[in-house]
Amino acid sequence: MKLVEHFKEGLTSPICLTWELTYACNLSCVHCLSSSGRRDPRELSTGECKAVIDELQRMQVFYVNIGGGEPTVRPDFWELVEYAVAHQVGVKFSTNGVKLTPERARWLASTDYVDVQISLDGATPEVNDAVRGPGSYDTAIRAMTNLREAGFRGFKLSVVMTRQNVGQLDQFADIADTYGAQLRITRLRPSGRGADVWDELHPTAEQQLRLYDWLVARGEKVLTGDSFFHLNALGSDPLPGLNLCGAGRVVCLIDPVGDVYACPFAIHQEFLAGNVRDEGGFARVWTDSELFTELRGPQTGGACTSCSAYDACQGGCMAAKFFTGLPLDGPDPECIKGHGELALQGAGAAPRSDVDHSHRKSRKVPVSIGFGPPSRPDRACDTSPLADLR
């Protein structure tokens, strides 16, 4: 049996576990998949987080992707990182760089089993700051400078691809080289606040082709995870990655209050499998939840199975379909054959996540993010550092 077939049936522990430690964030990125901003008073305590790490150690989960919100603003963040490493659970954490001082960078450079991922969504301040907030470009560059000067090599420069930055791929690669980083690019999903700006920010069909061609030509050392397997239908050169929706099979998300979702991009009751505070903890959710059992069973590809490209693209991204109102067995909204565009014309109202910790809940007047008039209200929030964090 091929390895990917084992993945389809699920594994005894996740190979890509994302853990959002807090919804608190000093930024309010317009495409934030978890609508982060304010801390949730119900978030797991230090002791509860350590208990989860103990579980992960017993399950032989060898590393965890920590995010948020901005995880480093949580007062016990570094304590939890040290605890995880001491218990043989490696840590890769994503940050906007706000807390990566020269001293902390030196500590990271001397620590084994810890990787750092700096978020930057524009190769220039104009493009980045329109999405991530004023001053965020300089913050990220300062953090990367500190890591480079501390001797930390191979940290990740993480970029969410948008309509405004696809043309900056070569510049992103140059920035990564300059700071001794590895470029990682991910797909924009219509999740969280990303649903508000999806129509304005997601790459055009022509840009999808440009992105595919760039990855084939220059992507040998670029990390993509399973972000772009829907683009494999474009040609005979498969992109590196899982080429499979791993939701509930090999990936999942633990959110700040302990809820376990099938996918980091699908924070919605439809994909909620349980909570780590429930009897049996995370291990029982992973092994016994009805949702994960269903996802590990045979899946129908619907009308997509009749398409010649189905074996290459596997029908695309579950979260992208769900949050644009398309059926899970339907085409991806960015289907390169154009089937998604046709399906969207007949789609009903798109579901929205009921999880929203944005600094501001709503705006009375639509506000542009700087790239032209949005087709949906923009709910971008305060950018004051550590707003509402206690």
Side-chain angles (χ1 to χ4, degrees), residues 142-220:
R142 182 167 59 249
M144 290 192 288
T145 299
N146 291 340
L147 289 170
R148 179 184 62 185
E149 293 181 353
F152 196 126
R153 296 291 180 266
F155 66 89
K156 309 303 182 286
L157 170 60
S158 181
V159 180
V160 176
M161 300 311 301
T162 67
R163 191 170 300 181
Q164 286 69 36
N165 68 20
V166 169
Q168 296 183 324
L169 281 164
D170 287 336
Q171 292 171 265
F172 283 123
D174 290 342
I175 292 173
D177 289 343
T178 296
Y179 293 95
Q182 183 176 18
L183 181 60
R184 178 180 184 267
I185 63 174
T186 61
R187 182 183 178 185
L188 176 72
R189 266 84 167 191
S191 308
R193 287 196 296 267
D196 297 331
V197 295
W198 168 257
D199 291 332
E200 187 177 355
L201 289 189
H202 82 93
T204 65
E206 187 275 332
Q207 288 176 322
Q208 300 269 9
L209 176 59
R210 188 190 311 175
L211 172 59
Y212 172 81
D213 289 340
W214 190 89
L215 285 171
V216 170
R218 297 200 55 189
E220 182 179 353

Side-chain angles (χ1 to χ4, degrees), residues 25-27 70 94-99 118-119 132 136 139-140 143:
C25 191
N26 58 304
L27 299 181
E70 171 52 46
S94 299
T95 176
N96 58 48
V98 67
K99 292 283 189 175
I118 306 294
S119 298
R132 302 187 62 83
S136 57
T139 298

Side-chain angles (χ1 to χ4, degrees), residues 213-273:
D213 289 340
W214 190 89
L215 285 171
V216 170
R218 297 200 55 189
E220 182 179 353
K221 296 181 180 180
V222 177
L223 299 176
T224 61
D226 60 355
S227 282
F228 300 107
F229 64 88
H230 69 294
L231 296 182
N232 282 331
L234 281 168
S236 58
D237 296 307
L239 300 178
L242 186 58
N243 192 30
L244 170 75
C245 175
R249 296 162 165 173
V250 296
V251 307
C252 71
L253 165 74
I254 301 176
D255 85 347
V257 301
D259 283 337
V260 181
Y261 294 91
C263 169
F265 306 105
I267 302 175
H268 188 278
Q269 287 292 317
E270 188 83 10
F271 305 105
L272 178 60

Side-chain angles (χ1 to χ4, degrees), residues 30-206:
V30 299
H31 58 9
C32 179
L33 64 93
S34 58
S35 297
S36 287
R38 296 171 293 111
R39 176 183 177 272
D40 193 312
R42 302 170 299 154
E43 72 182 27
L44 299 176
S45 67
T46 302
E48 288 175 316
C49 287
K50 289 182 177 179
V52 172
I53 292 170
D54 292 339
E55 275 197 275
L56 300 182
Q57 182 185 25
R58 290 192 294 269
M59 294 175 70
Q60 297 183 311
V61 174
F62 56 90
Y63 87 98
V64 59
N65 291 300
I66 291 180
E70 171 52 46
T72 63
V73 304
R74 184 171 160 138
D76 59 359
F77 172 73
W78 303 109
E79 177 184 351
L80 292 174
V81 171
E82 290 181 337
Y83 188 86
V85 172
H87 288 76
Q88 293 81 49
V89 178
V91 171
K92 177 188 293 183
F93 70 91
S94 299
T95 176
N96 58 48
V98 67
K99 292 283 189 175
L100 285 193
T101 62
E103 295 76 18
R104 185 54 68 182
R106 288 192 290 269
W107 181 84
L108 288 167
S110 66
T111 305
D112 292 330
Y113 308 114
V114 178
D115 196 8
V116 186
Q117 190 165 276
I118 306 294
S119 298
L120 191 73
D121 293 332
T124 57
E126 292 76 19
V127 173
N128 178 83
D129 290 6
V131 172
R132 302 187 62 83
S136 57
Y137 180 90
D138 291 340
T139 298
I141 294 297
R142 182 167 59 249
M144 290 192 288
T145 299
N146 291 340
L147 289 170
R148 179 184 62 185
E149 293 181 353
F152 196 126
R153 296 291 180 266
F155 66 89
K156 309 303 182 286
L157 170 60
S158 181
V159 180
V160 176
M161 300 311 301
T162 67
R163 191 170 300 181
Q164 286 69 36
N165 68 20
V166 169
Q168 296 183 324
L169 281 164
D170 287 336
Q171 292 171 265
F172 283 123
D174 290 342
I175 292 173
D177 289 343
T178 296
Y179 293 95
Q182 183 176 18
L183 181 60
R184 178 180 184 267
I185 63 174
T186 61
R187 182 183 178 185
L188 176 72
R189 266 84 167 191
S191 308
R193 287 196 296 267
D196 297 331
V197 295
W198 168 257
D199 291 332
E200 187 177 355
L201 289 189
H202 82 93
T204 65
E206 187 275 332

Side-chain angles (χ1 to χ4, degrees), residues 58 62 68 100 110 134 143 151 186 192 214 225 229 261-262 288 310 313 322 343 359 362-363 370 373 384 390:
R58 290 192 294 269
F62 56 90
L100 285 193
S110 66
T186 61
W214 190 89
F229 64 88
Y261 294 91
D288 296 341
Y310 179 73
C313 76
F322 182 78
H359 294 305
S362 64
R363 291 184 183 273
S384 57
R390 296 290 183 264

